[in-house]
Amino acid sequence: TKEVNLVETLEGKQCNSLFWSPAGRHIIMAGLGDSASGTIEFYDLETKALVVKEHYRANQVVWDPSGRTLATVVSQPIKGGHFKFSMDNGYILWTFQGKQLHQQSYETFYQLIWRPRETLLTKAERANVVKNLKKYEREFDKADKELAFKRQLDATKAKRSLRSTFRQRVARLKDFRRQQKAERMDLTDGYDSDDEANYVTKEVSIETILSTKEEVV
């Protein structure tokens, strides 16, 4: 017989359902149903990382066959209860790390089922993937870094474009104001609102008592 060993104990969790990823390693601790909080906890058994999310009135958690994505669902019973659930019916898609990917609502919604995952590789091909996993991991890390850099570069370009547009608009408005200066002065009997000499600067000091303390000697 295989031996069962205690790996870890997680205490103080307000959940009534557990859902293991088909790929292992990750577990979902969920508080499902009307009487629960709707808390969805994503836990990584290896890194001990914990991400807490919420899906109000969720009553299902469904992993996709690959273990990369899961759905939390609010569905109504087939026999009735439409009006009770109509405001909350739908689903939210999450990554296994707890990042929300998509949310969809429906007036009537009964069930969510993932399409079965077809096995595309032979046993020998799968063994080869496992053997070269480190190599693929480096390639994927490189691709992820390149994608992150591209996104950062695109965001920087967008910010620079917005800043350039703003500066052009400010310059255009300043030029428009300068062109109206003579007309403004004619309307105000020669008064130049841009001339600092036409202003009087006064400094006023205001003292405020923050607290007082009386001592009887």
Side-chain angles (χ1 to χ4, degrees):
T1 59
K2 295 184 178 180
E3 185 179 356
V4 178
N5 297 314
L6 175 64
V7 177
E8 188 172 354
T9 301
L10 300 175
E11 299 179 348
K13 298 299 177 184
Q14 298 181 1
C15 66
N16 54 23
S17 303
L18 301 176
F19 301 89
W20 278 104
S21 164
R25 177 174 170 176
H26 297 92
I27 187 172
I28 302 298
M29 297 171 284
L32 302 181
D34 291 344
S35 61
S37 62
T39 300
I40 310 294
E41 298 183 77
F42 298 76
Y43 187 68
D44 187 328
L45 192 62
E46 291 187 10
T47 65
K48 314 303 180 186
L50 177 67
V51 176
V52 181
K53 299 292 182 177
E54 184 176 330
H55 187 175
Y56 177 64
R57 298 192 74 176
N59 50 27
Q60 294 182 52
V61 174
V62 189
W63 280 98
D64 90 300
S66 71
R68 293 192 295 258
T69 311
L70 68 124
T72 54
V73 181
V74 178
S75 60
Q76 66 193 73
I78 296 178
K79 294 182 179 180
H82 165 71
F83 296 104
K84 180 180 179 182
F85 292 87
S86 60
M87 296 296 293
D88 305 301
N89 276 338
Y91 64 87
I92 301 178
L93 296 182
W94 313 83
T95 68
F96 63 89
Q97 297 168 320
K99 179 182 178 181
Q100 183 174 327
L101 299 174
H102 179 70
Q103 183 170 2
Q104 184 69 49
S105 298
Y106 296 97
E107 185 176 348
T108 56
F109 192 65
Y110 298 100
Q111 189 177 29
L112 185 146
I113 301 177
W114 287 97
R115 184 180 66 177
R117 185 188 183 194
E118 183 181 356
T119 301
L120 301 177
L121 301 179
T122 65
K123 186 175 181 180
E125 289 172 332
R126 289 198 300 271
N128 185 58
V129 170
V130 173
K131 179 181 178 181
N132 296 284
L133 196 57
K134 290 294 182 181
K135 172 187 174 183
Y136 297 135
E137 185 177 352
R138 288 192 295 270
E139 293 177 357
F140 293 147
D141 285 342
K142 181 181 178 182
D144 288 342
K145 289 178 181 178
E146 290 176 351
L147 180 59
F149 178 75
K150 183 179 181 301
R151 288 175 177 172
Q152 183 180 2
L153 187 61
D154 291 342
T156 301
K157 289 180 178 179
K159 291 178 181 178
R160 288 177 178 174
S161 177
L162 288 173
R163 184 167 62 243
S164 177
T165 302
F166 175 75
R167 288 174 176 174
Q168 291 174 8
R169 181 176 298 177
V170 170
R172 187 168 62 253
L173 292 174
K174 286 183 177 180
D175 183 60
F176 180 68
R177 178 175 172 80
R178 281 193 298 268
Q179 294 176 12
Q180 290 184 319
K181 182 174 182 178
E183 186 178 349
R184 288 199 309 272
M185 291 180 67
D186 288 342
L187 294 173
T188 56
D189 297 328
Y191 176 77
D192 185 5
S193 61
D194 295 330
D195 188 354
E196 295 291 340
N198 290 327
Y199 294 89
V200 177
T201 303
K202 293 183 179 181
E203 292 186 4
V204 179
S205 299
I206 300 177
E207 295 183 358
T208 303
I209 299 175
L210 299 179
S211 63
T212 61
K213 183 179 181 181
E214 296 183 1
E215 293 185 0
V216 179
V217 179

